[in-house]
Every structure is written in structure tokens, then in C-alpha cells.
Amino acid sequence: MKTIRKLLILCLLALPASALAFTVEVLDTRLIHLPGEPIIAKRVQVWMSPCQPINELEVFAQQEDMAADFRFEDLTLDGLPDLLVPWAQGASNMYYTLYPYDEGSGAFRSAPVSSVLLCNHEVLRDKGLIHTQESLGLAGLLRQESLYAWQGEDLAQVRHLLCQENELQPGILSARVYDNAQLVWEKEIPLEEALEMEETAGSLMREAEDIFWQGYR
């Protein structure tokens, strides 16, 4: 495996970005019947062209047509590409599972990072964070955002913003910001007012975003 690791580094150094290509070959597909929606499992071979195969592993998706649009991106911030497998896609949201490249074995991990589905993610490399954002409806008025940091081999949520209708008070829009799972800010306004007055909704979200990014911008 150390030989593969060395080969990967040599290829990364020797080839321009335009020449470096990763491909995934689907070997077979099966359907896993679970309570609720079934899961699509695909056995795949990951290749680094023009060098050599990296490893074989099983990946999963919630939608059949989502298990083919694989991506490679450095999310572990070690300078090496990690494997992103599409899980599901909605009108505004794109979800991926993450299979990090493991330096010790010289291959991609056989199991994804289990803590999170990455939705519309962005890597904040200078801060060592991953930012995700998910639309929950009403043209993005209902939404959630998170900041994740690596803790060992897993991602930990360090900041979270949630804007949704209050479950205990229908008709009330509640915006909340959590820091390491602790509620640090909350504001509520009538949902009807937010829907009818764009500036009211915009003001709420700007205030929530300011708190969410505090200390990270």
C-alpha cells in the first residue's frame, strides 16, 4: 500500500491538473431492501489514470441515477483527492457521501464518513472547515446551514443555523443558531409577515447569518 501512496504522490506532482484524471468503473449493482426507501449499492473500481487502479469498494445511493456522477475533491485538506458519491438530488439540494483517501492504506476508505450527508458543500480551506447549506422549502426561506471541522477521522458540526416553522407554534418562523450544539441565538417572527414582506425576511436572515459566521469571518 505504501507503493500506491508513493505512486499517487508522484502522479500528482508529475502531471498538470488538466492531465490528472480519476475514473470510477461500476462492476455490479444491487438493490438493498430496507424499511422505507430502498438503497442502491454499487461495487466499483476506482482508477487513477494514467497510473493504475486505486481500490475496489461498495458505494451507496438513495436514487438509482445518482450513483454514477462521482466526484473527486480534497475535503480532508491533506492535498489529496477524496471520493464524493452522489446520494440524492432535489430541486435545490445535492447530497453526497464522502469516502476519504486514507494515507495509511494508500486507498479510499471502504466506508463513508458517517456523521453527515454533504449538501451543497463548500470547502473553506483557509479555516479548515466545510460549509453546507440546505433549502427546506419556501424558495429557500426555510433553510439550514452548518460548519464542520475534522476531529480525527470524522466531521464534527461546530456551528448550525436552522430557520423553520416552529413545531410547537404553527405560523411562527423561528431562526436559531447553535454553537457546538448549544443554542446561542434565537429570533421569531410571524411566518405570514416573512412571506409578505421581503425586507422582513431578509433582515431576519442577515441577522442569523451574522451570528452564524461570527468568529469565522
Side-chain angles (χ1 to χ4, degrees):
M1 289 300 180
K2 289 184 178 180
T3 301
I4 296 178
R5 161 70 176 168
K6 292 178 181 178
L7 181 60
L8 179 57
I9 293 176
L10 288 173
C11 287
L12 288 169
L13 293 175
L15 295 173
S18 58
L20 188 63
F22 292 85
T23 58
V24 177
E25 178 187 2
V26 178
L27 303 177
D28 59 59
T29 302
R30 63 191 177 94
L31 188 64
I32 303 176
H33 295 280
L34 298 174
E37 190 168 357
I39 301 299
I40 309 299
K42 288 183 180 287
R43 188 168 59 91
V44 302
Q45 173 70 60
V46 184
W47 295 78
M48 182 175 66
S49 303
C51 298
Q52 72 171 61
I54 301 299
N55 65 302
E56 182 181 307
L57 67 162
E58 188 172 48
V59 299
F60 304 91
Q62 191 177 58
Q63 301 170 1
E64 167 62 30
D65 58 346
M66 296 308 300
D69 188 19
F70 303 99
R71 288 176 54 185
F72 292 90
E73 183 180 353
D74 178 18
L75 270 73
T76 50
L77 308 175
D78 61 358
L80 296 172
D82 304 301
L83 174 62
L84 286 164
V85 176
W87 172 260
Q89 183 175 20
S92 304
N93 302 316
M94 181 70 184
Y95 302 89
Y96 286 93
T97 52
L98 171 62
Y99 293 75
Y101 178 81
D102 181 72
E103 184 174 352
S105 65
F108 294 96
R109 287 189 216 161
S110 59
V113 173
S114 59
S115 60
V116 61
L117 280 175
L118 297 173
C119 182
N120 304 326
H121 70 277
E122 172 190 14
V123 180
L124 307 178
R125 190 167 300 278
D126 59 330
K127 302 182 185 302
L129 298 169
I130 296 176
H131 175 225
T132 65
Q133 50 187 330
E134 179 183 6
S135 173
L136 301 177
L138 298 181
L141 175 61
L142 307 182
R143 60 191 294 186
Q144 62 179 345
E145 296 184 50
S146 293
L147 290 174
Y148 293 94
W150 286 101
Q151 292 187 0
E153 295 186 347
D154 210 351
L155 283 170
Q157 186 185 80
V158 297
R159 190 69 58 81
H160 183 60
L161 183 159
L162 178 62
C163 187
Q164 65 177 4
E165 187 174 5
N166 192 308
E167 295 179 356
L168 301 178
Q169 295 179 281
I172 298 297
L173 182 64
S174 174
R176 299 173 181 175
V177 175
Y178 299 84
D179 186 70
N180 291 309
Q182 297 295 317
L183 180 65
V184 295
W185 179 86
E186 181 179 15
K187 188 171 184 177
E188 295 181 333
I189 61 174
L191 179 58
E192 184 177 354
E193 182 179 334
L195 293 173
E196 292 180 353
M197 302 179 64
E198 184 176 337
E199 180 53 36
T200 298
S203 177
L204 175 69
M205 288 314 304
R206 285 192 295 272
E207 190 173 355
E209 289 279 348
D210 285 344
I211 300 297
F212 175 77
W213 286 105
Q214 197 171 75
Y216 291 112
R217 277 183 174 171

